[in-house]
Amino acid sequence: MTPPDTSSATTDAPEAAAPAAPATGGCPVAHGAGAGGAEPAPLLLGGDRFQSDPIGLYRDLRRDHGPVAPVVLPGKLPAWLVIGYRELHQVTSDPLLYSRDSDLWNQWDRVPENWPLLPMIGKQESILYTVGERHRRRAAVMEGGLEAVEAHELRATTERLADSLIDDFCGSGDADVIADYAMMLPALVLFQLFGLPESEGRGLAHAINDMINGGERALAGQQHIRECVGRMVADLHVHPRDHVTSRMLRLGGHLPGEDRAVITDEFSAAEIIQDVLVMVVAGHQPTADWIGNTLRLMLTDTRFAASLFGGRHSIAEAMNEVLWEDTPSQNIAGRWATRDTHIGGRRIREGDLLILSFAGANYDPLVRTDQSALTGGNNAFFSFGHGEHRCPFPAREIAEIVARTAIEVILDRLPDIDLAVAAEELTRRPSPWLRGLTRLPVRFTPVPAG
């Protein structure tokens, strides 16, 4: 669920905003101070500029506030937005000082029960909010389940499912690549990997999209997925199968197998199943946006249009550029300070929330000195995180194979695919967290299915 689309104006920030001025121990330098030397008020995290002008937005934040900017969340709750590349590296590299444990937040007494960001920041019994050695053991169970995924089998599965989706619209001559393809394919592939029945795949894909969109069908979508996973796990005890979920349960000591295969038995089956749900949700939306954002780039930028059908090297370049310039994971919550500290010229108090701005760090002029598009294979972006809570390497490989195969298949099947609207008419979802298109209408010469 994402926060409501509120104005990004900074003129009405509340007194409860995160400390932002030297008088409270902040930066002794007034970054971009206005009349009277006052620092501009904290930004309300939301609004059109996160979709329409993110580069300009982060540039202005850096000018006005430096590499760690005060922001206000819905409900007038203060936080810090870490937009400096060096500072983000520092925060994600020090889990003892900047913890993933949301219980530490010093604002919980001000959070209402219906706060829209609770699904993202709220206290959860999942790997996302587990810390220390317990997190490392829990991550080992997860990565152990993912590592057995064979790349060539994954590619073949993705091709088959992609072809099935394209068959549904290839004869019409037009489609919405987001709704008809990108927002369906990653979920279908992940359901296969985690052992969910293919016969229920499309219904589950719609359920996961309902849950992510956060509308009136969100809770029903979440419940549908939970029930399906529960039935699948119960069936494993009667009909053993080999997939990511069964391997995780076996590594956690909940399914028969060799004793030496058990990493730890401290996590309940329910906790492991919760991690399965986290991986499916966390793996689906960013991968769908990676597909959509890359296709948008290739259909609107002449550098890629010139070689659109001339080879697969251009697809890899476009995908890499998207992770720098248009990364699906824009801002991630978060880390919580375990004690008073300083970073980026700011005084951070114990329990303060720091939001990780992958997009802001990717635009940092300290690492982008010429501000040119990075299409030469440079992968020092923050799009997959950093540190012990980064996206697991096997999960990153899975996302890359699924996204690249999805783009290859649709370009092979629909060789004259083109935008059906002007590029300026394309719009983004109203979210400062994940960056993706609402629609990507295309047209092409109709071709037969199969």
Side-chain angles (χ1 to χ4, degrees), residues 367-450:
V367 295
R368 301 285 299 281
T369 54
D370 58 0
Q371 296 299 296
S372 62
L374 294 169
T375 59
N378 185 331
N379 62 356
F381 41 70
F382 262 106
S383 300
F384 292 100
H386 177 72
E388 66 176 37
H389 281 274
R390 70 192 183 283
C391 176
F393 184 72
R396 173 176 172 169
E397 282 192 317
I398 290 169
E400 185 171 357
I401 290 172
V402 171
R404 179 164 181 164
T405 304
I407 297 165
E408 290 173 349
V409 170
I410 197 168
L411 296 182
D412 287 343
R413 290 284 305 275
L414 308 174
D416 63 349
I417 189 172
D418 197 8
L419 275 182
V421 299
E424 302 78 44
E425 295 181 36
L426 299 175
T427 58
R428 305 282 183 168
R429 289 193 311 276
S431 170
W433 310 99
L434 293 171
R435 182 167 172 80
L437 295 164
T438 57
R439 298 175 65 243
L440 185 60
V442 296
R443 56 175 176 250
F444 47 85
T445 301
V447 296

Side-chain angles (χ1 to χ4, degrees), residues 156-228:
T157 297
T158 305
E159 288 177 352
R160 176 174 59 81
L161 293 170
D163 279 329
S164 175
L165 290 171
I166 294 171
D167 283 346
D168 289 345
F169 58 76
C170 64
S172 66
D174 61 79
D176 174 9
V177 169
I178 301 302
D180 300 335
Y181 190 66
M183 286 295 289
M184 295 293 290
L185 183 58
L188 294 176
V189 175
L190 289 168
F191 293 147
Q192 288 277 292
L193 295 182
F194 285 90
L196 294 164
E198 185 168 356
S199 60
E200 299 187 44
R202 295 203 180 193
L204 286 166
H206 287 299
I208 197 173
N209 289 331
D210 288 342
M211 183 175 68
I212 290 170
N213 290 336
E216 61 182 16
R217 297 164 60 184
L219 292 178
Q222 183 184 54
Q223 185 61 27
H224 179 57
I225 295 171
R226 285 185 180 277
E227 290 174 354
C228 190

Side-chain angles (χ1 to χ4, degrees), residues 1 73-77 105 108 111-119 121-122 353:
M1 183 180 296
L73 303 178
K76 300 182 180 180
L77 298 174
W105 198 15
W108 278 123
V111 175
E113 292 183 0
N114 61 346
W115 194 49
L117 298 189
L118 275 178
I121 297 177
L353 166 61

Side-chain angles (χ1 to χ4, degrees), residues 227-246:
E227 290 174 354
C228 190
V229 171
R231 290 194 300 270
M232 179 264 291
V233 171
D235 186 61
L236 285 175
H237 292 276
V238 181
H239 304 102
R241 290 177 292 149
D242 185 43
H243 45 64
V244 174
T245 304
S246 64

Side-chain angles (χ1 to χ4, degrees), residues 289-300:
D289 288 336
W290 196 4
I291 295 168
N293 293 353
T294 301
L295 284 170
R296 182 208 62 83
L297 175 64
M298 298 187 74
L299 293 172
T300 59

